[in-house]
Amino acid sequence: MSKSRILVTGGAGYIGATAAAMLLDKGYAVTILDDLSTGFKKNIDPRARFVQGSLLEKGACHQALSEVETVFHFAAKSLVNESMSKPDIYWKNNVLGTRTLLDQMREFNVQKLVISSSAATYGEQSSSHIKESDLGEPTNPYGATKLAIDNMVLGEVHAYGIAAVSLRYFNVAGAYKLIDLNSKESKYIAELHNPETHLIPNIIKATKSEPIKIFGNDWPTPDGSCIRDYIHVEDLIESHIKAMENLENGKFEIYNLGSGTGYSVKQVINAAENVLKREIPKIEAERRAGDPAILISDINKAKEKLDWVPTKNLEDMVRDTYSALLAAGKI
């Protein structure tokens, strides 16, 4: 007996495409809705039903929601710096898009929702270990739109009794390996940002002429470099699936996701050197204004309520990212 059908919005992007592939591998039927504005057609799993369109297009939403039981909502603009210069696009795409999705879900009687959210909702907290109970004080429009979505969905839960969960995380890394059943060749779903802003791929791509910069070496941390939280994309999607399995009508839960311990910039560089068996070109630079010394997700709630723990370590993230970049001809 086949499992239920899940709609993955933003399913042509890095995280959404990984979710679609992992759900398909677990036997779920999947529909992908993506306008391909930032996603890639090559990321779309051929086993899925694909609807090209935006959440803001009623016809596309109608087509995508047909026969769906649960929605995994990844579709969003997600660049912090871009959100500072183009806040209107972020409020329209992220918030109005989600509002339209909720309206269409109610029309199709789809009552289960798993939201891809962000630790950017918290802003700058006084504590280095962020808990779900910490008040949201976002410092950029991107984080503000994600917090607005959570508040909007909470109202939907109270008013209409849907089941929803919001998953907040910092830095996602690694790649998901797929085997083409026809050619037997492997391919990866991975980060393909241009320009690339994430630390792990930039460390891997560092050269003597363009070394990786360590912003500050005198932070109050064991090795003097900033500590951030990272999570492998496979662990991330496993948590989404567990969250779906724990949905309850009339309830809205928020979970933090990450390593729970964090890694310093120098630890990430050391992990890359261990995996690649070579020295990573690096230079020390001045601190960046506004950078906190430590940002780590407290993941105890996810451990206890979802029975979820990350299984991939930092070297796994580096190794998979490297393999994906190599396969894509990016290094």
Side-chain angles (χ1 to χ4, degrees):
M1 185 176 180
S2 62
K3 295 186 178 181
S4 60
R5 177 170 291 276
I6 297 171
L7 169 61
V8 179
T9 71
Y14 167 45
I15 300 175
T18 302
M22 289 180 65
L23 286 165
L24 287 160
D25 287 345
K26 290 178 181 290
Y28 289 95
V30 171
T31 297
I32 291 171
L33 174 65
D34 200 299
D35 63 5
L36 300 180
S37 60
T38 56
F40 298 89
K41 199 162 189 177
K42 67 180 181 180
N43 281 345
I44 298 170
D45 197 301
R47 297 171 293 174
R49 183 170 69 192
F50 175 51
V51 177
Q52 183 170 347
S54 165
L55 288 173
L56 297 170
E57 300 170 19
K58 187 174 181 179
C61 265
H62 273 199
Q63 188 179 349
L65 282 166
S66 176
E67 302 176 354
V68 163
E69 183 177 300
T70 306
V71 175
F72 276 35
H73 183 29
F74 296 96
K77 296 290 185 184
S78 60
L79 298 177
V80 170
N81 288 339
E82 183 185 56
S83 78
M84 300 290 281
S85 61
K86 301 175 181 178
D88 51 325
I89 293 175
Y90 276 66
W91 285 98
K92 180 180 179 181
N93 190 86
N94 295 3
V95 179
L96 184 56
T98 302
R99 179 67 264 166
T100 304
L101 173 65
L102 289 168
D103 292 343
Q104 303 309 312
M105 284 176 60
R106 192 159 67 251
E107 184 175 333
F108 279 78
N109 196 32
V110 179
Q111 298 188 332
K112 296 179 180 180
L113 177 63
V114 178
I115 304 168
S116 169
S117 191
S118 169
T121 55
Y122 294 112
E124 295 180 10
Q125 297 287 331
S126 57
S127 171
S128 60
H129 289 67
I130 296 176
K131 297 182 179 180
E132 291 87 352
S133 57
D134 290 331
L135 292 176
E137 298 179 354
T139 57
N140 54 71
Y142 167 61
T145 64
K146 286 294 191 177
L147 184 60
I149 288 168
D150 282 352
N151 290 329
M152 183 166 58
V153 171
L154 177 61
E156 200 80 1
V157 170
H158 287 164
Y160 302 106
I162 70 170
V165 63
S166 178
L167 303 172
R168 295 175 174 175
Y169 39 91
F170 286 101
N171 304 293
V172 185
Y176 188 61
K177 186 177 182 179
L178 289 170
I179 304 296
D180 189 297
L181 297 178
N182 295 319
S183 67
K184 304 299 181 183
E185 294 181 353
S186 61
K187 74 168 189 174
Y188 294 87
I189 301 172
E191 299 179 80
L192 291 172
H193 303 128
N194 186 22
E196 183 57 72
T197 59
H198 291 177
L199 180 62
I200 290 177
N202 279 335
I203 286 174
I204 293 170
K205 292 190 283 188
T207 62
K208 288 183 178 179
S209 60
E210 294 188 27
I212 195 73
K213 291 181 179 179
I214 302 172
F215 294 102
N217 65 355
D218 57 351
W219 296 95
T221 61
D223 64 18
S225 63
C226 288
I227 293 175
R228 296 291 183 269
D229 212 332
Y230 297 85
I231 183 172
H232 195 289
V233 67
E234 287 187 40
D235 283 330
L236 183 72
I237 301 308
E238 284 291 350
S239 72
H240 282 63
I241 294 170
K242 282 185 174 288
M244 174 184 67
E245 293 168 347
N246 283 272
L247 286 171
E248 295 182 51
N249 287 339
K251 287 192 176 182
F252 178 56
E253 294 283 359
I254 293 172
Y255 293 97
N256 288 338
L257 303 172
S259 67
T261 56
Y263 304 99
S264 74
V265 174
K266 290 181 180 178
Q267 282 180 307
V268 180
I269 292 172
N270 289 340
E273 290 179 336
N274 290 336
V275 170
L276 303 180
K277 301 292 190 291
R278 62 176 172 83
E279 185 176 352
I280 300 295
K282 50 192 174 291
I283 59 170
E284 293 182 349
E286 294 294 319
R287 290 187 183 189
R288 292 179 298 190
D291 267 355
I294 302 172
L295 277 179
I296 299 173
S297 289
D298 184 319
I299 61 172
N300 285 319
K301 182 179 177 182
K303 286 181 177 179
E304 294 168 8
K305 292 197 171 184
L306 299 181
D307 189 29
W308 171 86
V309 290
T311 62
K312 303 277 189 176
N313 62 27
L314 186 55
E315 290 197 359
D316 293 325
M317 297 182 217
V318 172
R319 186 178 296 108
D320 291 348
T321 301
Y322 172 76
S323 297
L325 289 171
L326 188 64
K330 300 296 183 180
I331 52 176

